[in-house]
Amino acid sequence: MTRSTDPTDPVDAVDAVDLSNSTDPTDSRRRRVLTGALGAAAAAAGAPLLAAVTPTQTEGPFYPVVEQADTDADLTRIEGYAEAATGEVVVVEGRVLDENGSPIEGALVDVWQANANGRYAHEADPNPAPLDPNFQGWAKLVTDAEGRYRFRTIKPGPYKVADEWSRPPHIHFKVARRGFHELTTQMYFAGDPLNDVDRLLQSVPEAQRGMLVVDFRPRDADAPTGRFDLVLASV
């Protein structure tokens, strides 16, 4: 299922995820951080129909903690480096909107992800896969007057979390703007078989799950492009 475009979809409460069935003790810290309640508020009875707020997802344990000079909209290259990152190049674009469907200008869109090998450039990531010294891995964007954002990146690789659980390719988002509740969520790639067994994605009610899954299609001579709109709840 791909992203829903129906602005009247209801928003249901999401139960906490049970991630406790791994028997590998080395997975315990990562599992604890990934565990969390995922949810969004339901619309009040009798209120005007509003756009469904984007479902929340856990921040995960690998939010960047070390400042870096380059956090622009092209994650495939680092300023001053001659070579580009390894992997399949994709473009992600979309709009940040309020519950009435109006664009939110000046929202900070924080984006971070694993590289093509499924490895984060984070000291706490135990994944033995190689780092990519040419991959930026983190971007800080600001929406324009139409609420738009756009960035170029590498499709992240999957990685193992527990004995019987590997996370599918996904990109982390954290969106903030004064007057709105901060949104932390994750974007997934349509058609990946790991989506169907991912404990975090499957914890989102089916009616809202498609809001987090994006279909990528070729666009002219550019890389495959996917649209991921984000709806924030007002304070």
Side-chain angles (χ1 to χ4, degrees):
M1 183 186 296
T2 55
R3 293 180 57 257
S4 170
T5 56
D6 182 1
T8 64
D9 282 348
V11 181
D12 298 324
V14 185
D15 293 331
V17 187
D18 181 5
L19 309 179
S20 60
N21 61 349
S22 172
T23 58
D24 186 346
T26 63
D27 296 327
S28 60
R29 182 179 58 80
R30 195 178 214 187
R31 185 174 64 248
R32 287 196 303 271
V33 181
L34 283 170
T35 305
L38 314 174
L49 291 176
L50 301 174
V53 174
T54 301
T56 62
Q57 293 260 274
T58 176
E59 179 179 296
F62 305 126
Y63 180 81
V65 294
V66 178
E67 287 295 330
Q68 59 189 52
D70 194 355
T71 54
D72 67 5
D74 187 355
L75 286 76
T76 69
R77 289 188 173 273
I78 297 177
E79 185 177 359
Y81 286 59
E83 297 184 23
T86 300
E88 178 187 353
V89 177
V90 295
V91 173
V92 181
E93 63 183 15
R95 301 173 75 198
V96 177
L97 308 168
D98 65 18
E99 294 161 287
N100 296 311
S102 299
I104 300 176
E105 180 180 5
L108 174 63
V109 182
D110 218 349
V111 176
W112 70 101
Q113 63 170 90
N115 64 21
N117 301 310
R119 173 80 181 271
Y120 290 85
H122 192 288
E123 62 183 11
D125 188 356
N127 190 346
L131 289 167
D132 183 347
N134 300 306
F135 182 53
Q136 184 174 299
W138 180 23
K140 292 189 285 189
L141 315 170
V142 178
T143 57
D144 66 12
E146 297 300 318
R148 295 174 297 195
Y149 73 91
R150 188 175 192 268
F151 63 94
R152 187 178 186 87
T153 190
I154 298 296
K155 182 178 179 179
Y159 57 85
K160 180 181 176 181
V161 176
D163 289 339
E164 298 180 355
W165 180 23
S166 289
R167 297 236 52 216
H170 61 280
I171 299 177
H172 295 265
F173 285 74
K174 182 183 290 187
V175 187
R177 184 70 168 95
R178 185 184 296 274
F180 297 89
H181 292 286
E182 183 177 89
L183 170 68
T184 300
T185 194
Q186 299 178 29
M187 186 210 83
Y188 300 83
F189 291 75
D192 194 288
L194 290 175
N195 289 345
D196 296 334
V197 293
D198 184 63
R199 299 176 192 175
L200 293 181
L201 179 58
Q202 293 301 311
S203 297
V204 179
E206 186 175 0
Q208 284 81 54
R209 200 175 300 153
M211 297 173 67
L212 303 181
V213 182
V214 175
D215 191 18
F216 284 78
R217 299 179 182 276
R219 177 180 294 178
D220 301 326
D222 205 350
T225 300
R227 183 181 180 90
F228 187 45
D229 291 340
L230 297 141
V231 180
L232 306 188
S234 58
V235 174

